Amino acid sequence: MDSVQVGAIVAASFVPGLFWLFYFLKSRRCTNVSHGVLLFLGGIVCGPIALLVFNAVELSPFYAQLGDVDGVDEATKFTYALFVVGPVEELVKFGSVIVITRLLKLRVTSMNTALAWSTAAAIGFATIENWYYMVEVEEVVWHRALTLPFNHVLFSSFWGVGLYRDATEEGKQWIALTLVLSMVYHGVYDYILFSDAIHPAFVLPVVLVLYFWLVSVFRAEHARDSKRPSL
């Protein structure tokens, strides 16, 4: 690749991610921008970690053929998407948020705060994932550059809500439940993209359902806040 192509890939990978990051942080006004940037960088660091895990998984006999996902049967694609891709990517993003917020001794003060944290990490991860992909194919893929950060935000919003519920209600079941939901939803999304039997357009209803769920969560939380007596 020449320098112009490399520059275009860098721009396509990082500019949309940074745009989404500052859009969400500004619209939610719920966390320090420097904290958001740090969590974004944590998400970027998760990329190489996830890649190492994927490479280790693909050393096993069952997954050795997955160097080329297009060349395996549907059952293997489904298993890989649901039990490898979804869990690995959501766990590394979640782990980065837990490590950074614990080191900084940050507390969940609202639903918006928890979702800002998951959003920043998700966008960072999507940014480096876009970089890896475009370097591999040696071209700029704008539709992926623009949509992948937003999709990762939606997947991670499950455990973002879980962080808030865990901080405000007893028990750790919220973390486990919402992490599993994010893994399953993420895995289903990737399986549709991998599959030869399902048209890629079916990812649209998957994304829309999750988007409307997230909107309903915000509305429910807003209604709950409005009923709380002011001090």
Coordinates of all heavy atoms in Angstrom, one line a residue, residues 130-188:
N130 N -11.9 -2.0 12.7 CA -12.0 -1.4 11.4 C -10.6 -1.3 10.8 O -10.4 -1.6 9.6 CB -12.7 -0.1 11.4 CG -14.2 -0.2 11.2 OD1 -14.7 -1.1 10.7 ND2 -14.9 0.8 11.7
W131 N -9.7 -0.8 11.6 CA -8.3 -0.7 11.1 C -7.7 -2.0 10.7 O -7.2 -2.1 9.6 CB -7.4 -0.1 12.3 CG -5.9 -0.3 12.1 CD1 -5.1 -1.2 12.7 CD2 -5.1 0.4 11.2 NE1 -3.8 -1.2 12.3 CE2 -3.8 -0.2 11.4 CE3 -5.2 1.4 10.3 CZ2 -2.7 0.3 10.7 CZ3 -4.1 1.9 9.6 CH2 -2.9 1.4 9.8
Y132 N -7.9 -3.1 11.5 CA -7.4 -4.4 11.1 C -8.0 -4.9 9.8 O -7.3 -5.4 8.9 CB -7.7 -5.4 12.2 CG -6.8 -5.4 13.4 CD1 -7.2 -5.6 14.7 CD2 -5.4 -5.2 13.3 CE1 -6.4 -5.6 15.8 CE2 -4.5 -5.2 14.3 CZ -5.0 -5.4 15.6 OH -4.2 -5.4 16.7
Y133 N -9.3 -4.7 9.7 CA -10.0 -5.2 8.5 C -9.6 -4.5 7.3 O -9.3 -5.1 6.3 CB -11.5 -5.0 8.7 CG -12.3 -5.5 7.6 CD1 -12.7 -6.9 7.4 CD2 -12.8 -4.6 6.6 CE1 -13.4 -7.3 6.3 CE2 -13.5 -5.1 5.5 CZ -13.8 -6.4 5.4 OH -14.5 -6.8 4.3
M134 N -9.5 -3.2 7.3 CA -9.1 -2.4 6.1 C -7.7 -2.6 5.7 O -7.3 -2.6 4.5 CB -9.5 -1.0 6.3 CG -11.0 -0.7 6.3 SD -11.3 1.1 6.4 CE -12.3 1.1 7.8
V135 N -6.8 -2.8 6.7 CA -5.4 -3.1 6.4 C -5.3 -4.5 5.7 O -4.6 -4.7 4.7 CB -4.5 -3.1 7.6 CG1 -3.2 -3.7 7.4 CG2 -4.4 -1.7 8.1
E136 N -6.2 -5.4 6.2 CA -6.1 -6.8 5.6 C -6.6 -6.8 4.1 O -6.0 -7.4 3.3 CB -7.0 -7.7 6.4 CG -7.0 -9.1 5.9 CD -7.8 -10.1 6.8 OE1 -8.3 -9.6 7.8 OE2 -8.0 -11.3 6.4
V137 N -7.7 -6.0 3.9 CA -8.3 -6.0 2.5 C -7.6 -4.9 1.6 O -7.9 -4.9 0.4 CB -9.8 -5.8 2.5 CG1 -10.5 -6.9 3.3 CG2 -10.2 -4.4 3.1
E138 N -6.8 -4.1 2.3 CA -6.1 -3.0 1.6 C -7.0 -2.1 0.8 O -6.6 -1.6 -0.3 CB -5.0 -3.7 0.6 CG -4.0 -4.5 1.3 CD -2.9 -5.0 0.4 OE1 -3.0 -4.7 -0.8 OE2 -1.9 -5.6 0.9
E139 N -8.0 -1.7 1.4 CA -8.9 -0.7 0.9 C -9.8 -0.1 2.0 O -10.0 -0.7 3.0 CB -9.8 -1.2 -0.2 CG -10.8 -2.3 0.2 CD -11.7 -2.7 -0.9 OE1 -12.1 -1.9 -1.7 OE2 -12.0 -3.9 -1.0
V140 N -10.3 1.1 1.7 CA -11.2 1.8 2.6 C -12.6 1.2 2.4 O -13.1 1.2 1.2 CB -11.2 3.3 2.4 CG1 -12.3 4.0 3.2 CG2 -9.9 3.9 2.7
V141 N -13.3 0.8 3.5 CA -14.7 0.3 3.4 C -15.5 1.2 4.2 O -15.7 1.1 5.4 CB -14.7 -1.2 3.9 CG1 -16.1 -1.7 3.7 CG2 -13.7 -2.0 3.2
W142 N -16.1 2.2 3.6 CA -16.8 3.3 4.3 C -18.0 2.9 5.0 O -18.3 3.3 6.1 CB -17.1 4.5 3.3 CG -15.9 5.3 3.1 CD1 -15.2 5.5 2.0 CD2 -15.3 6.2 4.1 NE1 -14.2 6.4 2.1 CE2 -14.2 6.9 3.4 CE3 -15.6 6.5 5.4 CZ2 -13.4 7.8 4.1 CZ3 -14.7 7.4 6.1 CH2 -13.7 8.1 5.4
H143 N -18.8 2.0 4.4 CA -20.0 1.6 5.1 C -19.7 0.9 6.5 O -20.4 1.1 7.4 CB -20.9 0.6 4.2 CG -20.3 -0.7 4.0 ND1 -20.5 -1.8 4.9 CD2 -19.5 -1.2 3.0 CE1 -19.9 -2.8 4.4 NE2 -19.3 -2.5 3.3
R144 N -18.6 0.1 6.5 CA -18.2 -0.5 7.7 C -17.6 0.5 8.7 O -17.9 0.4 9.9 CB -17.2 -1.6 7.4 CG -16.6 -2.3 8.6 CD -15.5 -3.3 8.2 NE -14.9 -3.9 9.4 CZ -15.2 -5.0 9.9 NH1 -16.1 -5.8 9.3 NH2 -14.6 -5.5 11.0
A145 N -16.8 1.4 8.2 CA -16.2 2.5 9.0 C -17.3 3.3 9.7 O -17.1 3.7 10.9 CB -15.4 3.4 8.2
L146 N -18.4 3.6 9.1 CA -19.5 4.4 9.6 C -20.4 3.7 10.6 O -20.9 4.2 11.5 CB -20.2 5.1 8.5 CG -19.5 6.0 7.6 CD1 -20.3 6.5 6.4 CD2 -19.0 7.3 8.4
T147 N -20.7 2.4 10.3 CA -21.7 1.7 11.0 C -21.2 0.8 12.2 O -21.9 0.6 13.2 CB -22.5 0.8 10.1 OG1 -21.7 -0.2 9.5 CG2 -23.2 1.6 9.0
L148 N -20.0 0.3 12.0 CA -19.5 -0.7 13.0 C -19.4 -0.1 14.4 O -19.8 -0.7 15.4 CB -18.1 -1.2 12.6 CG -17.6 -2.4 13.5 CD1 -18.6 -3.6 13.3 CD2 -16.2 -2.8 13.1
P149 N -18.9 1.2 14.6 CA -18.8 1.8 16.0 C -20.2 1.8 16.6 O -20.4 1.5 17.8 CB -18.3 3.2 15.7 CG -17.4 3.1 14.5 CD -18.2 2.1 13.6
F150 N -21.2 2.2 15.8 CA -22.6 2.3 16.3 C -23.1 1.0 16.7 O -23.8 0.8 17.8 CB -23.5 3.0 15.3 CG -24.9 3.2 15.7 CD1 -25.2 4.2 16.7 CD2 -25.9 2.4 15.3 CE1 -26.5 4.4 17.1 CE2 -27.2 2.6 15.7 CZ -27.5 3.6 16.6
N151 N -22.8 -0.1 15.9 CA -23.3 -1.4 16.2 C -22.7 -1.9 17.5 O -23.3 -2.6 18.3 CB -23.0 -2.4 15.1 CG -23.8 -2.1 13.8 OD1 -24.9 -1.4 13.9 ND2 -23.4 -2.5 12.7
H152 N -21.4 -1.7 17.7 CA -20.7 -2.1 18.9 C -21.3 -1.4 20.1 O -21.4 -2.0 21.2 CB -19.2 -1.9 18.8 CG -18.4 -3.1 18.3 ND1 -18.2 -4.2 19.0 CD2 -17.9 -3.3 17.0 CE1 -17.5 -5.1 18.3 NE2 -17.3 -4.6 17.1
V153 N -21.6 -0.2 20.0 CA -22.3 0.6 21.1 C -23.5 -0.1 21.5 O -23.8 -0.3 22.7 CB -22.5 2.0 20.7 CG1 -23.5 2.7 21.7 CG2 -21.2 2.8 20.6
L154 N -24.3 -0.6 20.5 CA -25.6 -1.2 20.8 C -25.4 -2.6 21.5 O -26.1 -2.9 22.5 CB -26.4 -1.4 19.5 CG -27.0 -0.2 18.8 CD1 -27.7 -0.5 17.5 CD2 -27.9 0.6 19.8
F155 N -24.4 -3.4 21.0 CA -24.2 -4.6 21.6 C -23.8 -4.5 23.1 O -24.2 -5.1 24.0 CB -23.0 -5.4 20.9 CG -23.3 -5.7 19.5 CD1 -22.3 -5.7 18.5 CD2 -24.6 -6.0 19.0 CE1 -22.6 -5.9 17.2 CE2 -24.9 -6.3 17.7 CZ -23.9 -6.3 16.8
S156 N -22.9 -3.5 23.3 CA -22.3 -3.3 24.7 C -23.3 -2.6 25.6 O -23.1 -2.5 26.8 CB -21.0 -2.5 24.6 OG -20.0 -3.3 23.9
S157 N -24.4 -2.0 25.0 CA -25.3 -1.3 25.9 C -26.0 -2.3 26.8 O -26.4 -1.9 27.9 CB -26.4 -0.6 25.0 OG -27.2 -1.6 24.3
F158 N -26.1 -3.6 26.5 CA -26.7 -4.5 27.4 C -25.9 -4.5 28.7 O -26.5 -4.3 29.8 CB -26.6 -6.0 26.8 CG -27.7 -6.3 25.8 CD1 -27.4 -6.6 24.5 CD2 -29.0 -6.3 26.2 CE1 -28.4 -7.0 23.6 CE2 -30.0 -6.6 25.4 CZ -29.7 -7.0 24.1
W159 N -24.6 -4.7 28.6 CA -23.8 -4.8 29.9 C -23.6 -3.4 30.5 O -23.3 -3.3 31.7 CB -22.6 -5.6 29.8 CG -21.6 -5.2 28.7 CD1 -21.4 -5.9 27.5 CD2 -20.6 -4.2 28.8 NE1 -20.4 -5.3 26.8 CE2 -19.8 -4.3 27.6 CE3 -20.2 -3.3 29.7 CZ2 -18.8 -3.4 27.3 CZ3 -19.1 -2.4 29.4 CH2 -18.5 -2.5 28.2
G160 N -23.8 -2.3 29.7 CA -23.8 -1.0 30.2 C -24.9 -0.8 31.2 O -24.8 -0.3 32.3
V161 N -26.1 -1.3 30.8 CA -27.3 -1.3 31.7 C -27.0 -2.2 32.9 O -27.4 -1.8 34.0 CB -28.5 -1.7 30.9 CG1 -29.7 -1.9 31.8 CG2 -28.9 -0.7 29.8
G162 N -26.4 -3.3 32.6 CA -26.1 -4.2 33.7 C -25.2 -3.6 34.8 O -25.3 -3.8 36.0
L163 N -24.2 -2.8 34.3 CA -23.3 -2.1 35.3 C -24.1 -1.1 36.2 O -23.9 -1.1 37.4 CB -22.3 -1.2 34.5 CG -21.1 -2.0 33.9 CD1 -20.3 -1.0 33.0 CD2 -20.2 -2.6 35.0
Y164 N -25.1 -0.5 35.6 CA -26.0 0.5 36.4 C -26.8 -0.3 37.3 O -26.9 0.0 38.5 CB -26.8 1.3 35.4 CG -27.8 2.1 36.2 CD1 -27.5 3.2 37.0 CD2 -29.2 1.8 36.1 CE1 -28.4 4.0 37.6 CE2 -30.1 2.5 36.8 CZ -29.7 3.6 37.6 OH -30.7 4.4 38.2
R165 N -27.5 -1.4 36.9 CA -28.4 -2.2 37.7 C -27.6 -2.8 38.9 O -28.0 -2.9 40.0 CB -29.1 -3.2 36.9 CG -30.0 -2.7 35.9 CD -31.2 -1.9 36.5 NE -32.1 -1.5 35.5 CZ -33.0 -0.5 35.6 NH1 -33.0 0.2 36.7 NH2 -33.8 -0.2 34.7
D166 N -26.4 -3.3 38.5 CA -25.5 -3.9 39.6 C -25.2 -2.9 40.7 O -25.0 -3.2 41.8 CB -24.3 -4.4 38.9 CG -23.3 -5.1 39.9 OD1 -23.7 -6.1 40.6 OD2 -22.2 -4.6 40.1
A167 N -25.0 -1.6 40.3 CA -24.6 -0.6 41.2 C -25.8 -0.1 42.1 O -25.5 0.4 43.2 CB -23.9 0.6 40.5
T168 N -27.0 -0.3 41.6 CA -28.1 0.3 42.3 C -29.0 -0.8 42.9 O -29.9 -0.4 43.6 CB -29.0 1.2 41.3 OG1 -29.3 0.4 40.2 CG2 -28.2 2.3 40.8
E169 N -28.8 -2.0 42.6 CA -29.6 -3.1 43.1 C -28.8 -4.2 43.6 O -27.6 -4.4 43.2 CB -30.6 -3.6 42.0 CG -31.5 -2.6 41.4 CD -32.4 -3.1 40.3 OE1 -32.5 -4.4 40.3 OE2 -32.9 -2.3 39.5
E170 N -29.3 -5.0 44.6 CA -28.5 -6.1 45.2 C -28.3 -7.2 44.2 O -29.1 -7.5 43.3 CB -29.2 -6.6 46.4 CG -29.1 -5.7 47.6 CD -29.5 -6.4 48.9 OE1 -29.6 -7.7 48.9 OE2 -29.9 -5.7 49.8
G171 N -27.2 -7.9 44.3 CA -26.9 -9.1 43.5 C -26.1 -8.8 42.3 O -26.1 -7.7 41.8
K172 N -25.3 -9.8 41.8 CA -24.5 -9.7 40.6 C -25.2 -10.3 39.4 O -24.6 -10.4 38.4 CB -23.2 -10.4 40.9 CG -22.4 -9.8 42.0 CD -21.9 -8.4 41.8 CE -21.1 -7.8 42.9 NZ -20.8 -6.4 42.7
Q173 N -26.5 -10.7 39.5 CA -27.1 -11.4 38.4 C -27.2 -10.5 37.2 O -27.3 -10.9 36.1 CB -28.5 -11.9 38.8 CG -29.5 -10.9 39.1 CD -29.5 -10.4 40.6 OE1 -28.6 -10.6 41.3 NE2 -30.6 -9.7 41.0
W174 N -27.3 -9.1 37.5 CA -27.5 -8.2 36.3 C -26.3 -8.2 35.4 O -26.4 -8.2 34.2 CB -27.7 -6.8 36.8 CG -29.1 -6.5 37.3 CD1 -29.6 -6.4 38.5 CD2 -30.3 -6.4 36.4 NE1 -31.0 -6.2 38.5 CE2 -31.4 -6.2 37.2 CE3 -30.4 -6.4 35.0 CZ2 -32.7 -6.0 36.7 CZ3 -31.7 -6.2 34.5 CH2 -32.8 -6.0 35.3
I175 N -25.1 -8.3 36.0 CA -23.8 -8.3 35.2 C -23.8 -9.6 34.3 O -23.6 -9.6 33.1 CB -22.6 -8.3 36.1 CG1 -22.5 -6.9 36.8 CG2 -21.3 -8.6 35.2 CD1 -22.2 -5.8 35.8
A176 N -24.1 -10.8 34.9 CA -24.0 -12.0 34.2 C -25.1 -12.0 33.1 O -24.8 -12.4 32.0 CB -24.3 -13.2 35.2
L177 N -26.3 -11.7 33.5 CA -27.4 -11.7 32.5 C -27.2 -10.8 31.3 O -27.3 -11.2 30.1 CB -28.7 -11.3 33.2 CG -30.0 -11.2 32.3 CD1 -30.3 -12.5 31.6 CD2 -31.2 -10.7 33.1
T178 N -26.8 -9.6 31.6 CA -26.6 -8.6 30.5 C -25.4 -8.9 29.6 O -25.3 -8.7 28.4 CB -26.5 -7.2 31.0 OG1 -25.5 -7.1 32.0 CG2 -27.8 -6.7 31.6
L179 N -24.3 -9.5 30.2 CA -23.2 -9.9 29.5 C -23.6 -11.1 28.5 O -23.2 -11.0 27.3 CB -22.0 -10.4 30.4 CG -20.9 -9.4 30.7 CD1 -20.0 -10.0 31.7 CD2 -20.2 -9.0 29.4
V180 N -24.3 -12.0 29.0 CA -24.8 -13.1 28.1 C -25.6 -12.6 27.0 O -25.5 -13.0 25.8 CB -25.6 -14.2 29.0 CG1 -26.2 -15.2 28.0 CG2 -24.6 -14.9 29.9
L181 N -26.5 -11.6 27.3 CA -27.4 -11.1 26.3 C -26.5 -10.4 25.2 O -26.8 -10.5 24.0 CB -28.4 -10.1 26.9 CG -29.5 -10.7 27.6 CD1 -30.3 -9.6 28.4 CD2 -30.5 -11.4 26.7
S182 N -25.5 -9.6 25.6 CA -24.6 -8.9 24.6 C -23.9 -9.9 23.8 O -23.7 -9.7 22.6 CB -23.7 -8.0 25.4 OG -22.7 -8.7 26.1
M183 N -23.4 -11.0 24.4 CA -22.7 -12.0 23.6 C -23.6 -12.7 22.6 O -23.2 -12.9 21.4 CB -22.2 -13.1 24.6 CG -21.1 -12.6 25.5 SD -20.7 -13.9 26.7 CE -19.7 -13.0 27.9
V184 N -24.8 -13.1 23.0 CA -25.7 -13.7 22.1 C -26.1 -12.8 21.0 O -26.1 -13.2 19.8 CB -27.0 -14.2 22.9 CG1 -28.1 -14.7 21.9 CG2 -26.6 -15.3 23.9
Y185 N -26.5 -11.6 21.3 CA -26.9 -10.7 20.2 C -25.8 -10.4 19.3 O -26.0 -10.4 18.0 CB -27.4 -9.4 20.9 CG -28.7 -8.9 20.3 CD1 -29.9 -9.2 20.9 CD2 -28.7 -8.0 19.2 CE1 -31.1 -8.8 20.3 CE2 -29.9 -7.6 18.6 CZ -31.1 -8.0 19.2 OH -32.3 -7.5 18.7
H186 N -24.6 -10.2 19.8 CA -23.4 -10.0 19.0 C -23.1 -11.2 18.1 O -22.9 -11.0 16.9 CB -22.2 -9.7 19.9 CG -21.0 -9.2 19.2 ND1 -20.1 -8.3 19.8 CD2 -20.5 -9.3 17.9 CE1 -19.2 -8.0 18.9 NE2 -19.4 -8.6 17.8
G187 N -23.2 -12.4 18.7 CA -23.0 -13.6 17.9 C -24.0 -13.8 16.8 O -23.6 -14.2 15.7
V188 N -25.3 -13.5 17.1 CA -26.3 -13.7 16.0 C -26.1 -12.7 14.9 O -26.2 -13.0 13.7 CB -27.7 -13.4 16.6 CG1 -28.8 -13.3 15.5 CG2 -28.1 -14.5 17.6

